[in-house]
Amino acid sequence: MNLDWYYMARGPLFKFAVLFFLFGMGYRLFMLLFLGWKKDYAPARGSAIVGIVKAFWHHAWPPEGLREVYKGRLLAVLSGDIFHLAAFTVILFQPAHVKIWGKILGFEWGSLPMPIVDIAAGIALISLIVMAIDHLASPVRHLTSTTMSWLNLFFVFLPLLTGWMTYHHLWLPYQTLLTFHMLAVEWILIWMPLSKMSHFLYFFVSNVIHGVKFGKMGTL
Amino acid sequence: MKTIYEELLERGMTRRDFLKMATVLTAALGLEHTMVGKVVAAMESKPRLPVIWLEFQDCAGCSESLTRSHDPYLTKLLFNDISVDYHETLFAAAGKQAEENKEKIMKEYAGKYVLVVEGSIPTKDGGVYCTVSGKTAIQQLKEAAENALAVVAIGTCGSFGGLPHAYPDPTGAVGAGSIIKDKPVVNVPGCPPMPEVITNTIAHVAILGELPELDYLGRPKAFYGNTIHDRCPRRPFYEQGKFAESWDDEGAKKGWCLYKLGCKGPTTYNACAVIKWNEGVSFPIQSNHPCIGCSEPNFWDNNHVYDPVAFPPGLGDAAGMNKAGAAFLAGGALAIGSALLASQQKKKAAKGGEKEG
Ligand code: SF4
Ligand code: SF4
């Protein structure tokens, strides 16, 4: 191997991916905000703020009617939550990542010891596998999963796997592993605005919008 | 032609001393103890291989490093017994006389000498930026390499272009391996390389007449098989997440990991953490300075010396941040534009619909 890919992945490709991500997310966010809203003429029957809080709460803890869908699949459902917790532990608290965030944001926070990050990465990887199995095993989820959902799972799996391999320095020269990791991350940056992975932003926007709407109606 | 053994006997060495020497040499070459027999056999059956040492765009720091080897035995062996027959800095002869001598060796030992290259080779503008006795470095290198048994590139410059190759690279500097394609090139990078690694690698080729096992960048695995990070005495602190955050904080005083202060140990393959410098006294990390990754290609451009290895070059600089902000706003502007256009079209369509209706 020569190191050309290493330089590409750390240099031009990284810059391109970040700019594409920002451009894409800027587009999607403003598109959502400016698509035009219907005026709500109905008198408010509840509080918008309470609605917002409840909307977020219902995401963490499914309401009565929805629990039926989750029956017998507790592990699978929890795997989603666990995945997010574990993945964010890795993304936000791995020492190298902390330095990168610090450089971008201009301020820094403490990092976690490597073994803890390592375990978090392992948990995130396993929970992704559990989710994948659930996609196949649960009839409802099977019906709602599309090629896109499989791609999403796969593309999230890659940066975690390559990062974990890099840390453990498995089989290949360190630079090669880091190249794979960087490429996987860059791909996800590009993929995010193009796919449902933009839910990392929409999740908040839509919960606020729905919270306000249904909160006012008093139906949440 | 006399074998190395015969030459040593002639110089008054006893068989006993010779065997002792072979044992020490085997260890020095990074070979296993069981290989002593092979080293002895090679010296008993093979003639000495002369070494021709060329210098191109360099600071002679690698030669300086070589003369500081704390293995005087091996250095003496290399210079007196294996013999470096031509070395621009260390050679007593100069000018025409030296050139003639070099040509004589190249003819006399065609196919049997080891060519050592220190410094990078300029390729821009016909290679005019480095000439020795009227010939460009490229010509000199090609001529000398033609009949060499093997080429050993010394230093990051000789191996990968090194500092002259760093941005903006005015001379188009490259390493020997980019010019010599029909011959094995062993790379011994470092800025400078460790003296022991230089002597041992040259001795390996010159005595055994074969190349050591190489990694994917042509470096001897015996010395470049592990990263600095793999063998770093501060590694436990890295694992525990204990980092020095500035040069004089508590962490720095307690000898914690230097990752956040820019240590390139994790991406650097070299033997510093094991062999150490100045007769095994210390190496940068032990002396409270991060590794700058000098034995890796492009180490100078790859990152700022004090930026953590994880930073892509230029991350977070003002120009980059402005571009990032601009990209986000451009995306937003495009969205607003198309949303407005869509709503106008909707209105138009609605009006048109009314008319038609
Ligand atoms: S000081 Fe450098 S080489 Fe040593 S553990 Fe820290 S990062 Fe690794
Ligand atoms: S510690 Fe790193 S920078 Fe220093 S000499 Fe060794 S490889 Fe080069």
Side-chain angles (χ1 to χ4, degrees), chain B residues 227-239 243 256-260 262-266 283 285 289-291 309:
Chain B
T227 61
I228 300 289
H229 187 64
D230 283 335
R231 297 294 161 92
C232 180
R234 298 189 188 223
R235 182 69 184 259
F237 295 120
Y238 173 87
E239 301 293 342
F243 300 97
W256 288 357
C257 170
L258 300 170
Y259 184 93
K260 292 189 174 178
C263 186
K264 307 294 182 294
F283 79 114
I285 294 171
H289 194 280
C291 166
V309 64

Side-chain angles (χ1 to χ4, degrees), chain B residues 68-72 195-196 275-282:
Chain B
R68 305 289 190 283
S69 169
H70 71 251
D71 195 346
E196 292 69 30
I275 302 178
K276 302 190 180 174
W277 292 82
N278 299 327
E279 307 195 10
V281 171
S282 181

Side-chain angles (χ1 to χ4, degrees), chain B residues 243-254:
Chain B
F243 300 97
E245 305 277 345
S246 74
W247 300 105
D248 48 6
D249 68 355
E250 259 326 282
K253 282 178 198 147
K254 285 185 179 150

